[in-house]
Amino acid sequence: MSGSLWMPPGSRSDTLPAVPRQRDRPSWARPDPIDELAARLHDFIAAAVHPDEIAALLESDGLSDDQIRERYGVKNSFALAEELYERVERRYPEPDSPVHDPWQTGLLGCLLRGVVFALPGFGYVLGAPLLAGPHDDFGLPAGTVPLLAGALVGWTWNQGLAHRAYSWLGLGDRGAARRALLLGAPVGALLGALVALAVAGAAHPAALAFAAGQSVYLGAATALLVMGRERALLAALLPMTAGAVLAFAYPVPEPARLVLLLGSLAVVAVLGLREVAPLKGRGAESDVRLPPRGRDQPRRSRSRRTTVGPRLSASLPYALFGLATGVLVLYAALGDILTGEQRSAPAAVALTLSMGPAEWLLYRFRSGSLAGLRASSTPRAFRRTTVLTVVECLAAYLVTLLALSLATSALWPHSSGFAGVRLAGLLLLGVVLWTALLLQSFGAVAGAAAICCAAALAQTAAVVTHTGNPHWVALIVHGTAAVAQAALVCALLGRVTAHR
């Protein structure tokens, strides 16, 4: 082992023999070309959610199927993509910057809308002398039936109209939304006035005039709210609100009441008209001409006629939803009167004021569900996160509704507060309304409208047939509807595809 290396004859002792050239490695000893490609594209492959993403990258690099078969021994780019997808572990990197949340919204704007929803109720305080007289055949104050009928028609029509206008806004056509409101709002006001006249019976003409003004206000306010003019509507209602608050403490003469009512109505109507028929220029008049028929539709093709605008039938479920929820809210407001008591207003005021926080909590749920999509790694985990978010938002809304109910009952004159059954029925109605709005925000309005319509029909049947105590009937009906809608919410919103 310690001997010298063998040297060939004639070679110099200070040189080493040449090292023979090594033979190339056999093909079975070479690195796998797919592994090399996976290492080179590791970051992209680890972040891919489907092999098709990798196939798209391979094709964009100019790899043909022939090249892939020659280099990697697989059939085509899709087969190679599947191989790469299986060999690299999934690793989804977090974004460098904070993720944009499109559902972030301010609480103040939503509270403003809730206040705007509630302020028109002060108009009934100023208009109380117009509704003076003996009770009608239903035991309701004079003129109540025309007002309720006109309000239900207005809620139904304007809910469908608002959906159609919002659909146009979603398509980016603000002009078409204005034209829809310009045509639909006057038609809805006319329908409300005609229905109030049809059910007036022996009601005083002043009550009919009040119902007609109510219909005009609903149409104009819908146009302003859809076009995002809540602040203008609030400013128009403030003088009437101040007069109504003053009427609680001091007698206000009837001429002053009429001036406040007609003045606020005229301002709201003018603002609504200016919004849907804006002035063309300085000194110009508003353009109230309706568009020619078919202007918003594309040219007719040889085979069929298509439309780019929303279908009229798509707004029908929203109209039925408005009718059903309107009936449920009216029964909550009239429950005390139907049982011989006279303190129904606090429930209606609390429900109306709670719509502002309810809207904000809908945004909070959408924001929370988006965060759950990013944080959950399995469908079961996302479903659990969604249910917890629903429970948190619904509990926050019920606490808000409870606080508003107790506050309005304490502040309302001659009100003795909410009893246990009435309060429980009101809170269950809050569950029905909030879950219905949640389903509507996800486009599942058909299910929400069906459940609310069934609840409204059941409560109407109980009132017409004088079945049971109205408060207990409301508790049972609202509880059943709340359970049905809660199950629908969990079944629908627990799926990831519902949050697209």
Side-chain angles (χ1 to χ4, degrees):
M1 295 295 295
S2 61
S4 61
L5 291 174
W6 175 81
M7 302 291 288
S11 62
R12 297 176 54 184
S13 59
D14 56 347
T15 61
L16 293 176
V19 179
R21 182 177 181 271
Q22 295 184 355
R23 188 178 58 181
D24 292 339
R25 289 182 297 178
S27 59
W28 53 265
R30 295 176 183 174
D32 188 349
I34 298 182
D35 287 338
E36 292 181 342
L37 183 61
R40 183 162 59 88
L41 303 177
H42 181 273
D43 292 339
F44 181 86
I45 299 172
V49 297
H50 195 275
D52 287 353
E53 294 185 45
I54 307 172
L57 176 65
L58 297 175
E59 293 176 354
S60 66
D61 284 343
L63 281 176
S64 64
D65 290 343
D66 293 335
Q67 293 173 332
I68 290 173
R69 281 192 293 267
E70 180 181 354
R71 296 181 189 178
Y72 304 104
V74 293
K75 183 178 179 180
N76 51 32
S77 60
F78 294 99
L80 179 57
E82 292 177 359
E83 283 286 338
L84 294 172
Y85 188 82
E86 292 177 358
R87 297 190 184 195
V88 177
E89 184 180 358
R90 305 273 69 74
R91 179 172 49 82
Y92 303 109
E94 292 293 332
D96 298 332
S97 59
V99 180
H100 172 65
D101 187 356
W103 301 107
Q104 287 289 343
T105 187
L107 177 60
L108 183 60
C110 295
L111 293 179
L112 176 63
R113 291 176 70 89
V115 171
V116 168
F117 293 153
L119 287 185
F122 286 103
Y124 299 99
V125 177
L126 287 177
L130 302 177
L131 308 176
H135 287 203
D136 55 21
D137 298 337
F138 299 96
L140 300 174
T144 303
V145 172
L147 284 177
L148 296 183
L152 286 177
V153 172
W155 291 340
T156 304
W157 180 271
N158 290 309
Q159 186 77 8
L161 176 62
H163 170 260
R164 182 162 180 81
Y166 277 125
S167 299
W168 279 117
L169 290 176
L171 294 173
D173 196 339
R174 195 173 183 86
R178 285 195 173 104
R179 289 189 290 270
L181 293 169
L182 178 61
L183 176 62
V187 173
L190 180 60
L191 286 176
L194 292 177
V195 170
L197 178 62
V199 300
H204 195 274
L208 294 179
F210 193 91
Q214 172 187 258
S215 299
V216 172
Y217 170 81
L218 290 175
T222 299
L224 290 174
L225 290 173
V226 169
M227 304 307 291
R229 298 296 306 277
E230 295 90 352
R231 296 181 184 275
L233 181 58
L234 175 64
L237 294 176
L238 285 179
M240 180 203 67
T241 303
V245 172
L246 184 64
F248 279 115
Y250 303 98
V252 177
E254 289 192 14
R257 292 173 181 259
L258 289 176
V259 169
L260 288 173
L261 287 172
L262 293 177
S264 293
L265 177 62
V267 172
V268 172
V270 170
L271 288 175
L273 180 62
R274 288 285 301 273
E275 186 62 34
V276 298
L279 297 177
K280 292 183 176 181
R282 180 175 297 180
E285 297 181 356
S286 296
D287 183 10
V288 297
R289 294 175 298 173
L290 295 177
R293 185 176 182 181
R295 179 177 176 180
D296 297 323
Q297 297 177 355
R299 295 180 179 179
R300 184 170 180 172
S301 61
R302 294 181 180 180
S303 58
R304 60 187 177 90
R305 187 180 184 181
T306 58
T307 58
V308 295
R311 293 177 291 107
L312 286 174
S313 58
S315 301
L316 180 60
Y318 293 86
L320 294 177
F321 175 78
L323 173 62
T325 54
V327 170
L328 293 176
V329 171
L330 286 182
Y331 278 134
L334 299 177
D336 295 329
I337 297 178
L338 294 175
T339 56
E341 304 175 25
Q342 297 295 328
R343 47 183 174 84
S344 61
V349 173
L351 282 172
T352 307
L353 286 174
S354 70
M355 289 298 102
E359 182 180 353
W360 184 75
L361 288 169
L362 292 178
Y363 281 100
R364 292 295 301 167
F365 173 79
R366 297 302 294 263
S367 179
S369 62
L370 184 61
L373 279 173
R374 294 194 300 266
S376 302
S377 56
T378 62
R380 178 174 296 182
F382 174 72
R383 190 178 301 110
R384 182 172 58 251
T385 302
T386 301
V387 171
L388 290 177
T389 307
V390 169
V391 171
E392 291 174 1
C393 293
L394 182 58
Y397 172 70
L398 292 180
V399 170
T400 304
L401 179 59
L402 176 62
L404 290 173
S405 303
L406 297 178
T408 53
S409 178
L411 296 175
W412 200 264
H414 312 297
S415 177
S416 58
F418 284 97
V421 176
R422 292 179 64 246
L423 185 58
L426 182 63
L427 293 178
L428 286 175
L429 177 57
V431 174
V432 174
L433 294 178
W434 192 83
T435 53
L437 291 174
L438 180 60
L439 291 171
Q440 177 180 306
S441 68
F442 278 87
V445 66
I451 295 175
C452 291
C453 285
L457 288 175
Q459 203 162 356
T460 301
V463 170
V464 171
T465 59
H466 303 284
T467 302
N469 183 280
H471 294 323
W472 280 101
V473 170
L475 180 66
I476 295 172
V477 171
H478 297 165
T480 304
V483 171
Q485 288 199 158
L488 187 58
V489 165
C490 294
L492 174 65
L493 304 187
R495 300 199 305 260
V496 176
T497 53
H499 299 260
R500 290 176 295 182

